[in-house]
Amino acid sequence: MSKTIAINAGSSSLKFTLYEMPAEEEIASGIIERIGLNNSIFTTKYAGEKYKVIEDIKNHEIAIQMVLDKLIELKVIANYEEITGVGHRVVAGGELFKDSALITDEVLAQIESLAEFAPLHNPANATGIKAFKKLLPNITSVAVFDTSFHTTMPKENYLYSLPMEYYTDFSARKYGAHGTSHKYVSERAAEMLGKPLEETKLITCHLGNGGSITAVKGGKSIDTSMGFTPLAGITMGTRTGDIDASLLPFLMNKLNITDINDMIYILNNKSGLLGLSHISSDMRDVEEAAEKGNEDAQTALDIFYNRVQKYIGQYFAILNGADAIVFTAGIGENSPETRQIIIDGMNWFGAEIDAEANNVRGKERIISTPESKVKVLLIPTDEEIMIARDVERLRA
Ligand code: AMP
């Protein structure tokens, strides 16, 4: 038995889950928010209790030190050495990482060099890796990439219709994201369907604050809605999803914006459900406002459903049919209305929601009728356990 910790470091946050492995028993978890700002918030969950500390936490190294000390204080561990493995979520692995990797100095340098593909995320992920290395230099350290699962996409799906040398010279292509989540739910879906993963055709819908849809054939991603970066695809909390690139110079001219990065910032942070509704990026708020008759909120919802349906439709086409549609992540797991509306609009494809089974939040189950040709599954995602499993696999 050994303890393994899964780490998800953002630019100002750090999430952790501690497992007893190989039993896969979750022991403790937590989150530190507002790292580098004042009044940072450190929340730990252990044995059904929640512990909250508010104080200034200057950087990721101090944050990790606090996590380890808290685990000792709560007697979760007796000393640092009890943790023998750490897995770090890394957003961009480019074409370099087709699988998770043991972190060496070279791997760390490669993660940093991939910052071009994920300027907000990879530097933060690397900061978490370095901070852990300093405090626990001798434990097994593994990087798990959001993009790895999508490296099985065929050329016709990952290439843009741009001059070929932009791909060959600059690696400009689709990489996708949320791979760990799509992989987890695909594996669970095969088990729920009682079918070998290699024989399944699935459309997995990760609908959270960020969202992506993936066509999974035989357990391998063959296409996904996010693109070169996580900006592309469906409408998200604050992101546009797909738009016509010609709108950018047009809008920059109208808005007197001269720096393209300012425009991209709007597409990433001021658009999506938030931009359309001017209520919130949070689905709960938008649903509530629409229910009270707010027209823009209703339009935001209609656009969201529409974009999800269009991607599901595309993936029915390239998969030539599917065994199941899977819903996961914050909205996918917790909004029965979203699932119902999306599937009701696609009955022609042979999917039918069972209203009673669908009336549930966050529980793994089949939510289609017994007659439904295409099954509809609700599967809460678990990216952390996938990270811990990869630490075990690569340690062996
Ligand atoms: P995630 O990024 O996976 O944490 O998902 C966050 C999204 O899930 C936000 O848009 C939340 O509003 C949405 N969400 C969480 N709980 C619910 C709920 N009960 N009903 C509708 N949306 C929810």
Side-chain angles (χ1 to χ4, degrees):
M1 296 284 257
S2 66
K3 291 189 175 65
T4 290
I5 193 162
I7 297 288
N8 183 351
S11 52
S12 66
S13 69
L14 186 135
K15 287 188 215 157
F16 71 92
T17 310
L18 183 71
Y19 292 95
E20 190 74 59
M21 296 298 280
E24 299 194 353
E25 183 195 335
E26 185 177 321
I27 312 171
S29 65
I31 178 164
I32 301 184
E33 295 158 285
R34 296 178 55 85
I35 298 172
L37 303 170
N38 45 22
N39 295 327
S40 317
I41 311 161
F42 174 20
T43 318
T44 313
K45 281 195 217 158
Y46 170 59
E49 296 287 329
K50 213 168 169 179
Y51 305 87
K52 197 165 173 179
V53 180
I54 298 186
E55 65 178 64
D56 299 355
I57 302 173
K58 261 204 320 231
N59 56 45
H60 284 72
E61 196 182 324
I62 296 173
I64 290 166
Q65 181 102 51
M66 284 181 71
V67 170
L68 297 173
D69 290 345
K70 189 75 190 173
L71 294 175
I72 289 179
E73 183 196 314
L74 292 172
K75 300 199 169 36
V76 182
I77 54 172
N79 51 52
Y80 288 5
E81 284 68 41
E82 256 185 62
I83 300 175
T84 58
V86 58
H88 295 271
R89 174 190 180 212
V90 178
V91 168
E95 290 191 311
L96 285 175
F97 296 102
K98 298 195 181 336
D99 191 3
S100 303
L102 280 168
I103 301 174
T104 57
D105 290 344
E106 189 193 352
V107 166
L108 179 58
Q110 286 168 327
I111 290 169
E112 288 183 305
S113 76
L114 287 164
E116 245 188 336
F117 296 160
L120 296 180
H121 294 102
N122 270 39
N125 303 150
T127 305
I129 291 171
K130 282 189 219 160
F132 241 92
K133 243 184 150 65
K134 214 163 168 187
L135 292 165
L136 297 171
N138 299 318
I139 68 173
T140 306
S141 177
V142 168
V144 179
F145 300 90
D146 265 21
T147 47
S148 291
F149 183 59
H150 299 301
T151 56
T152 48
M153 283 189 288
K155 248 188 191 155
E156 65 268 26
N157 289 337
Y158 74 67
L159 280 185
Y160 292 112
S161 307
L162 284 165
M164 188 58 87
E165 62 275 19
Y166 297 176
Y167 168 63
T168 47
D169 292 353
F170 313 129
S171 305
R173 52 161 281 182
K174 176 190 276 198
Y175 291 102
H178 295 142
T180 312
S181 174
H182 289 291
K183 184 169 187 228
Y184 174 82
V185 299
S186 311
E187 290 175 6
R188 285 296 311 142
E191 283 174 36
M192 287 169 79
L193 295 169
K195 213 172 168 180
L197 183 62
E198 297 69 33
E199 292 170 19
T200 57
K201 291 198 281 186
L202 304 165
I203 299 170
T204 53
C205 307
H206 178 111
L207 309 179
N209 186 36
S212 64
I213 310 210
T214 298
V216 187
K217 191 174 183 181
K220 294 189 162 66
S221 167
I222 61 159
D223 201 1
T224 194
S225 60
M226 282 180 166
F228 176 65
T229 72
L231 175 57
I234 60 170
T235 301
M236 298 175 230
T238 61
R239 286 172 244 170
T240 51
D242 300 334
I243 59 160
D244 180 347
S246 304
L247 260 174
L248 273 65
F250 172 82
L251 287 175
M252 286 173 73
N253 190 29
K254 297 283 178 204
L255 296 165
N256 280 324
I257 292 175
T258 49
D259 185 345
I260 184 76
N261 291 310
D262 294 340
M263 194 67 232
I264 297 290
Y265 181 84
I266 295 172
L267 303 190
N268 265 313
N269 299 285
K270 303 272 177 208
S271 305
L273 295 176
L274 172 68
L276 287 165
S277 69
H278 286 301
I279 299 276
S280 168
S281 61
D282 193 297
M283 183 54 114
R284 284 164 290 203
D285 302 335
V286 183
E287 282 181 347
E288 198 186 313
E291 211 159 291
K292 287 186 184 144
N294 183 302
E295 250 181 65
D296 288 346
Q298 187 57 53
T299 303
L301 292 181
D302 292 341
I303 292 175
F304 178 82
Y305 306 142
N306 165 285
R307 299 306 187 268
V308 175
Q309 286 174 328
K310 284 202 267 211
Y311 265 101
I312 295 176
Q314 279 188 42
Y315 292 164
F316 266 124
I318 63 163
L319 286 165
N320 197 10
D323 299 300
I325 298 168
V326 182
F327 286 99
T328 195
I331 301 169
E333 291 168 25
N334 296 302
S335 175
E337 297 78 10
T338 300
R339 298 188 297 257
Q340 177 99 45
I341 292 166
I342 289 169
I343 299 299
D344 279 355
M346 309 192 77
N347 288 151
W348 185 84
F349 288 92
E352 191 179 56
I353 283 269
D354 180 327
E356 204 173 306
N358 184 43
N359 190 16
V360 67
R361 299 184 201 277
K363 285 218 173 66
E364 188 177 282
R365 62 160 69 163
I366 297 176
I367 54 169
S368 46
T369 60
E371 297 76 36
S372 186
K373 203 169 83 187
V374 177
K375 301 290 170 219
V376 185
L377 311 178
L378 192 178
I379 304 180
T381 194
D382 194 342
E383 291 160 281
E384 289 71 27
I385 195 62
M386 296 299 271
I387 293 174
R389 280 178 194 166
D390 274 0
V391 175
E392 291 302 297
R393 179 167 61 87
L394 293 175
R395 187 210 297 277

